[in-house]
């Protein structure tokens, strides 16, 4: 009996839902899909893409910035590529304005927001030394008013002159994010830094630290240290190269990840994956940049790299080395292209537009795969 053709025998199947989002979202998601198609044609992962409109476009056509049908598609997919959203411009909830990013994180229980800050060859890190760290940010509780309550918002205004915000920290939430951080560190430089403000938030960050310490005790192979958030902000500027994995609560992670990625090179290059135990959503770290939307100016690197992280996450779950290899190929292509000033986009002082940059990365994927 003859073997079936290699592609037929080994073709994987990965169904991705693409939510283009607002502002520069449609342009950077188009570039990302072009790169993913190039990877697919080399590594036969069987990627399929389903568009699920969200954001202002969906508000006009379906009356909601996250229509039920879009969420249902995300729930059924193997993974989601989520473009940036202009949720500050959305109407109130009663008029269909939902923050898709927060809704997806909460409803799909994407508790870990994995945010690498890595310097790329040829682009000087702002702290003088090459940075390679990952922020593991809790994503489903903390100081996020849309996530802290079962019913009603986590922010209230008892009188016109008094506003209150609730910060929710749970044992289960803190333990699972700590476990994600230590598992990751065990495969990297084996160091975890927990960032907190337990000197002031004694009860909530006290509980967070208690949980992280318990997990640390189960991972003696990983060095563990703690830093207070304000000092940490300064230490990153001083020398971010000394950190490996940083674990922290939602809002601190939001702020520190923008800081760390900018210090590593540029916030515009920073990838992020929202991961749970069943679902994962690739999402750029940056926003929707409405000022340059539709002008073919945006740098799609962040979303392209995030999509790579999604493939790696799927590959690890399925034990499919090709998906992990695909992620590696995407990172190497980004490194090679960004290293060349003539192939950079305008934000990095280069001449390429979004489309040309996406095509260049797709071409680099092909070149590296056949090298
Ligand atoms: C992020 C963003 C979001 C957040 C905004 C858009 C709500 O800043 O993903 O980092 O704060 O989580
Ligand atoms: Mg942010």
């Amino acid at each position: 009996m003859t073997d079936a053709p290699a592609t037929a025998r080994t073709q994987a199947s990965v169904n991705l839902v693409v939510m283009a989002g607002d502002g520069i979202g449609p342009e950077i998601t188009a570039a990302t899909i072009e790169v993913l198609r190039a990877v697919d044609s080399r590594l036969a992962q069987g990627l399929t893409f389903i568009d699920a409109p969200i954001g202002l476009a969906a508000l006009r056509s379906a009356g909601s910035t996250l229509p039920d049908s879009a969420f249902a598609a995300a729930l059924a997919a193997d993974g989601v590529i989520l473009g940036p959203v202009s949720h500050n411009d959305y109407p109130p909830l009663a008029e269909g304005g939902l923050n898709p990013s927060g809704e997806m994180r909460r409803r799909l229980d994407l508790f870990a927001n994995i945010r690498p800050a890595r310097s790329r060859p040829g682009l000087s890190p702002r702290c003088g030394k090459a940075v390679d760290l990952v922020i593991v940010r809790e994503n489903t509780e903390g100081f996020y008013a849309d996530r802290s309550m079962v019913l009603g918002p986590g922010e209230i205004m008892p009188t016109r002159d008094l506003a209150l915000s609730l910060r929710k920290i749970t044992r289960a939430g803190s333990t699972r994010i700590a476990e994600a951080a230590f598992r990751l560190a065990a495969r990297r430089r084996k160091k975890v830094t927990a960032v907190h403000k337990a000197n002031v938030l004694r009860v909530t960050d006290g509980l967070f630290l208690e949980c992280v310490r318990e997990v640390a005790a189960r991972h003696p192979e990983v060095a563990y240290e703690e830093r207070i958030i304000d000092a940490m902000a300064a230490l990153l500027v001083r020398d971010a190269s000394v950190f490996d994995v940083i674990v922290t609560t939602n809002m601190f992670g939001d702020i520190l990840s923008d800081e760390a990625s900018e210090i590593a090179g540029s916030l515009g290059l920073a990838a992020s994956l929202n991961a749970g135990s069943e679902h994962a959503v690739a999402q750029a770290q940056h926003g929707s940049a409405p000022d340059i939307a539709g002008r073919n100016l945006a740098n799609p690197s962040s979303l392209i790299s995030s999509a790579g992280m999604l493939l790696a996450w799927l590959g690890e779950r399925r034990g499919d080395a090709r998906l992990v290899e695909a992620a590696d190929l995407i990172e190497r292509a980004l490194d090679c292209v960004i290293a060349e000033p003539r192939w950079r986009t305008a934000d990095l002082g280069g001449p390429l537009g979004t489309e040309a940059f996406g095509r260049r990365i797709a071409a680099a994927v092909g070149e590296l795969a056949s090298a």
Side-chain angles (χ1 to χ4, degrees), residues 87 99 101 105 113 115 137 144 147 250 254 258 283 285:
H87 70 105
N99 172 6
S101 162
R105 291 173 187 178
N113 192 193
R115 300 195 143 182
R137 164 193 179 189
Y144 275 71
R147 265 153 269 186
N250 201 346
D254 176 39
D258 277 22
Q283 184 183 21
Q285 256 189 63

Side-chain angles (χ1 to χ4, degrees), residues 13-348:
S13 150
V14 178
N15 303 315
L16 298 176
V17 157
V18 180
M19 299 175 155
D22 302 308
I24 58 172
E27 296 158 84
I28 65 171
T29 46
T32 301
I33 290 168
E34 170 151 19
V35 172
L36 290 177
R37 288 198 200 282
V39 174
D40 195 23
S41 75
R42 294 290 170 159
L43 295 174
Q45 295 135 329
L47 303 185
T48 58
F49 303 95
I50 301 166
D51 277 324
I54 57 159
L56 294 167
L59 184 70
R60 284 189 294 273
S61 62
S64 166
T65 53
L66 182 63
D68 289 346
S69 56
F71 181 74
L75 195 62
D78 293 314
V80 177
I81 295 177
L82 174 62
V85 292
S86 302
H87 70 105
N88 276 339
D89 300 333
Y90 293 177
L93 188 59
E95 291 159 40
L98 285 88
N99 172 6
S101 162
E103 289 298 317
M104 298 280 283
R105 291 173 187 178
R106 191 172 57 81
R107 293 199 224 163
L108 295 177
D109 200 25
L110 307 171
F111 64 87
N113 192 193
I114 312 291
R115 300 195 143 182
R118 183 172 72 80
S119 303
R120 294 195 183 269
L123 271 189
S124 306
R126 293 180 195 273
C127 64
K129 291 192 196 156
V131 177
D132 180 7
L133 62 80
V134 182
I135 294 184
V136 177
R137 164 193 179 189
E138 205 294 323
N139 221 10
T140 47
E141 48 187 53
F143 244 137
Y144 275 71
D146 59 348
R147 265 153 269 186
S148 51
M149 310 283 273
V150 165
L151 201 59
E155 282 198 306
I156 49 173
M157 198 163 194
T159 75
R160 287 214 172 279
D161 303 311
L162 169 66
L164 299 170
S165 184
L166 291 177
R167 178 172 188 263
K168 174 176 130 188
I169 301 292
T170 67
R171 189 175 297 279
S174 304
T175 302
R176 66 181 179 172
I177 198 65
E179 275 163 358
F182 278 85
R183 274 198 305 272
L184 179 62
R187 294 159 40 199
R188 291 175 43 94
R189 301 198 309 278
K190 299 189 170 45
K191 179 177 162 191
V192 169
T193 306
V195 178
H196 65 93
K197 189 75 183 176
N199 50 339
V200 174
L201 301 168
R202 285 178 181 271
V203 176
T204 48
D205 265 354
L207 175 58
F208 172 71
L209 281 185
E210 183 188 321
C211 298
V212 184
R213 286 174 192 163
E214 277 172 20
V215 175
R218 294 200 287 273
H219 288 269
E221 77 285 10
V222 176
Y224 174 60
E225 63 178 17
E226 294 169 358
R227 292 284 177 266
I228 298 177
I229 177 68
D230 45 351
M232 186 66 184
L235 291 172
L236 283 173
V237 175
R238 185 181 295 170
D239 185 4
S241 74
V242 300
F243 297 103
D244 179 21
V245 173
I246 296 167
V247 63
T248 192
T249 49
N250 201 346
M251 183 87 64
F252 294 161
D254 176 39
I255 298 164
L256 278 189
S257 55
D258 277 22
E259 185 194 351
S261 55
E262 184 64 24
I263 289 169
S266 167
L267 172 58
L269 300 176
S272 102
L273 185 72
N274 300 286
S277 35
E278 301 300 324
H279 301 277
V281 173
Q283 184 183 21
Q285 256 189 63
H286 58 69
S288 62
D291 52 324
I292 57 162
R295 294 166 57 196
N296 194 29
L297 283 174
N299 183 344
S301 297
S302 174
L303 192 61
I304 293 171
S305 183
S306 306
M309 289 181 75
L310 175 60
L311 296 186
W313 180 86
L314 278 166
E316 275 153 31
R317 275 167 68 86
R318 293 179 177 183
D320 185 339
R322 276 169 313 167
L323 288 165
V324 178
E325 197 187 325
D328 181 59
L329 196 54
I330 291 173
E331 274 310 287
R332 287 192 290 132
L334 282 165
D335 275 351
C336 294
V337 171
I338 292 169
E340 286 279 348
R342 69 195 155 112
W343 288 338
R344 292 181 186 158
T345 43
D347 54 308
L348 301 177

